[in-house]
Amino acid sequence: MQYPSAWLQNASLGETIACELRLRIINGTIKHGEVISENWVASEFGTSRSPVREALKTLSSEGLIRLERMGAVVIGLNITDVEELYDVRFLIESFVQQRLTQTDVEGLLENLRRIVDKMELAMRHNDAVEFSYQDLSFHEAIIMAVDHNRILHLWKSIRPIVMTVMLITTEEVFSKGEKKLHTVIDKHRTIMKGLESRNRDVVKQVVQDYFADSRKTLHSSISSQ
């Protein structure tokens, strides 16, 4: 698995290297405890050491590696780490969707319908990469709609890892066939119905159910890496 080049538009070389290394670390290609040097990364990506330092600094801030004198020691992402990541996602989306019950969401719902249509198209073309990108776009559209700077800052701090984990879990979902993919799409439609209801209790239950089910897929995907 390689990090999708289409997701790297306008990314700096350092960001591109960080994305690829992040994927290799999370999917287990680069193992926990391995030491990666600036020289090795520079050679691997055919670049100077400056963007490599940028990439390693980013991964260090995300807790995926530990910078030491002899190089970067890989910490990785275990199942507990990913569960905690999903806890943060749950807290963000619970807050955001509850807040949205107090506003007009018709414009947001129109956007979400278009995104779900794109998910269906990606399913028909067996395109897991596009499906995962639209999945992320769906949730990001909801988060952006609340116009809350601190929530947006928190989301952006976890977005790169969330995006990578979603890419990996979507590959797992596609391996289970079209019936499972329809279930995933239906879950997103249920979120839309919750938002459309503008009922705080309904929204609360919808978000709880969504993330409870997502945890099952998460365990299946990450534990198999």
Side-chain angles (χ1 to χ4, degrees), residues 137-155:
S137 298
F138 181 95
H139 294 277
E140 190 161 60
I142 294 172
I143 294 166
M144 298 285 285
V146 81
D147 194 25
H148 191 296
N149 287 334
R150 293 297 173 183
I151 287 292
L152 185 58
H153 179 76
L154 179 58
W155 164 246

Side-chain angles (χ1 to χ4, degrees), residues 66-225:
R66 183 177 66 251
L67 296 176
E68 295 188 357
R69 185 172 291 181
M70 76 273 197
V73 179
V74 175
I75 298 171
L77 205 68
N78 60 35
I79 192 64
T80 301
D81 295 324
V82 184
E83 282 185 340
E84 290 178 358
L85 188 72
Y86 270 62
D87 287 340
V88 176
R89 281 192 64 197
F90 171 73
L91 291 171
I92 291 172
E93 294 207 33
S94 294
F95 173 84
V96 167
Q97 293 194 41
Q98 293 273 337
R99 180 69 70 90
L100 287 172
T101 61
Q102 304 167 29
T103 64
D104 179 8
V105 293
E106 189 51 44
L108 170 63
L109 289 171
E110 288 181 12
N111 186 26
L112 297 180
R113 290 184 194 107
R114 287 193 291 268
I115 293 172
V116 169
D117 286 344
K118 291 177 182 178
M119 291 174 72
E120 288 189 313
L121 188 63
M123 176 187 68
R124 289 199 291 270
H125 286 86
N126 197 34
D127 190 341
V129 170
E130 178 64 13
F131 190 97
S132 61
Y133 183 78
Q134 295 304 329
D135 192 344
L136 181 96
S137 298
F138 181 95
H139 294 277
E140 190 161 60
I142 294 172
I143 294 166
M144 298 285 285
V146 81
D147 194 25
H148 191 296
N149 287 334
R150 293 297 173 183
I151 287 292
L152 185 58
H153 179 76
L154 179 58
W155 164 246
K156 285 181 177 179
S157 73
I158 65 170
R159 186 182 189 272
I161 295 180
V162 169
M163 203 167 185
T164 304
V165 170
M166 288 181 76
L167 179 62
I168 294 168
T169 55
T170 302
E171 291 276 354
E172 172 73 14
V173 170
F174 265 69
S175 73
K176 294 182 177 179
E178 196 168 295
K179 183 178 179 181
K180 177 63 176 176
L181 289 165
H182 278 296
T183 300
V184 172
I185 290 172
D186 287 343
K187 283 168 53 184
H188 289 76
R189 288 204 176 98
T190 300
I191 290 175
M192 290 163 59
K193 288 177 183 176
L195 290 170
E196 193 171 20
S197 76
R198 301 181 68 176
N199 183 305
R200 291 176 68 89
D201 291 333
V202 171
V203 166
K204 180 180 178 181
Q205 190 61 54
V206 165
V207 178
Q208 286 178 342
D209 291 346
Y210 179 89
F211 279 94
D213 187 64
S214 293
R215 281 179 179 274
K216 296 176 185 177
T217 302
L218 176 70
H219 272 269
S220 172
S221 303
I222 298 300
S223 61
S224 67
Q225 298 305 314

